[in-house]
Amino acid sequence: MRKRKKKYLKYNEIDTKNIKHLSVIMDGNGRWAKKQGLPRTAGHSAGVEKAREIVLFTKELKIPYLSLYTFSKENWKRSMDEVSFLMNLIVSHFEKEFQFYIDNRIKIIHLGDKNGLPEKVLNAIYKVEEDTKNFDSITLLLAINYSGKYDIIQAVNRIIKDGVNGEITEDIFKNYLLTKDIPDPDLIIRTGNEFRISNYFLWQAAYTEFYISDKNWPDFTKEDMIEAINNYNNRERRFGGVK
């Protein structure tokens, strides 16, 4: 039997109505820098610039939520110099791009463990969260010092602390996660040609579709994002059922 060729939409036809939450694991900054003969820190700087481009493009596509895996709990294992650079980069980014978020009415929410983050990073996070809390064009979730295991454990500890009695249902448990008021991701894009979840959204990604790009994050383009969304739109999401 002849297989029907899948239809891939053009940019001006792209359909995002079935995507409420798009997420990206931004991988490959260090490898990108190495290929350019540059230090790893240059890759992280390029990655931040790419994130700005993709945030704005997501807003143009009218996708309500975008989450970016920015710094995991495991990333503390990297060299002190690299970690210090990344923390300073987060602060400088918020300072440099603050007006960008204001002008585009982008709401910022931090996901992750605030304990252990440097005070200057916390202050930058608190400021941008407070000053953008009433914006409604798009919500940008920045997973900084985040891990899926941490998210689940902190939810369990808060349930115990609150003395919740009776059976713990999925609905009750979800209300204790860091993403309690946020829809689960419909699509997670991972760059860098890596096929793993890296301790990210372990609960929330139970039925998320994945798209793996072989491009390192700084090389990821709007066209690549369109390809990922078109690929998603050509899938059948059955959520354990049968169609």
Side-chain angles (χ1 to χ4, degrees):
M1 180 181 293
R2 194 176 192 180
K3 290 185 178 180
R4 189 184 345 182
K5 188 176 181 181
K6 291 183 178 179
K7 179 183 178 183
Y8 286 95
L9 306 177
K10 297 178 181 178
Y11 166 54
N12 61 354
E13 300 174 320
I14 191 167
D15 181 6
T16 60
K17 69 178 183 295
N18 292 321
I19 302 179
K20 298 294 184 288
H21 181 179
L22 173 68
S23 190
V24 183
I25 300 175
M26 306 177 292
D27 201 6
N29 290 334
R31 278 164 281 163
W32 178 88
K34 185 176 180 180
K35 285 184 177 180
Q36 311 296 319
L38 299 170
R40 288 179 57 85
T41 52
H44 295 311
S45 296
V48 167
E49 291 301 313
K50 179 57 61 175
R52 184 186 190 278
E53 175 188 330
I54 295 302
V55 168
L56 189 57
F57 189 49
T58 305
K59 174 179 176 287
E60 292 172 0
L61 293 175
K62 302 186 185 307
I63 296 173
Y65 292 89
L66 171 67
S67 54
L68 301 177
Y69 201 9
T70 306
F71 186 89
S72 74
K73 275 186 164 289
E74 289 75 20
N75 287 155
W76 294 106
K77 299 174 184 177
R78 298 184 179 186
S79 72
M80 187 180 299
D81 287 344
E82 185 172 355
V83 169
S84 178
F85 179 86
L86 287 168
M87 293 297 109
N88 288 328
L89 187 61
I90 291 169
V91 175
S92 64
H93 170 74
F94 282 142
E95 292 174 348
K96 177 183 175 183
E97 300 296 345
F98 181 74
Q99 197 59 44
F100 165 77
Y101 293 123
I102 299 297
D103 291 343
N104 287 282
R105 298 187 60 80
I106 297 170
K107 181 178 180 178
I108 305 293
I109 294 178
H110 167 246
L111 298 179
D113 184 4
K114 286 182 170 59
N115 294 325
L117 285 173
E119 185 176 359
K120 61 185 178 182
V121 175
L122 286 175
N123 289 338
I125 289 172
Y126 288 138
K127 176 174 174 53
V128 73
E129 282 188 317
E130 177 64 24
D131 291 345
T132 66
K133 66 182 181 182
N134 295 318
F135 291 165
D136 56 6
S137 71
I138 181 177
T139 298
L140 175 61
L141 312 164
L142 296 176
I144 302 172
N145 200 24
Y146 178 86
S147 90
K149 290 181 179 180
Y150 160 78
D151 198 358
I152 292 170
I153 290 171
Q154 67 82 32
V156 172
N157 286 331
R158 287 171 58 209
I159 289 171
I160 294 171
K161 184 177 180 181
D162 284 356
V164 178
N165 295 317
E167 182 181 358
I168 304 301
T169 64
E170 288 189 16
D171 287 339
I172 291 174
F173 190 82
K174 179 177 172 57
N175 284 330
Y176 282 87
L177 293 170
L178 299 175
T179 55
K180 64 176 183 176
D181 297 320
I182 299 159
D184 291 340
D186 300 292
L187 171 63
I188 291 179
I189 298 172
R190 178 159 191 157
T191 59
N193 203 33
E194 297 290 351
F195 292 75
R196 59 179 179 272
I197 199 167
S198 294
N199 200 3
Y200 182 55
F201 281 165
L202 297 182
W203 175 280
Q204 296 87 341
Y207 276 101
T208 298
E209 298 290 328
F210 277 76
Y211 179 88
I212 308 299
S213 172
D214 59 1
K215 290 189 175 181
N216 291 320
W217 175 240
D219 286 330
F220 191 76
T221 66
K222 294 178 182 179
E223 290 72 24
D224 294 320
M225 187 163 159
I226 291 170
E227 172 65 21
I229 293 172
N230 287 340
N231 183 283
Y232 168 85
N233 284 334
N234 277 285
R235 301 182 189 182
E236 286 186 89
R237 303 189 74 192
R238 294 185 291 275
F239 299 99
V242 177
K243 289 186 178 180

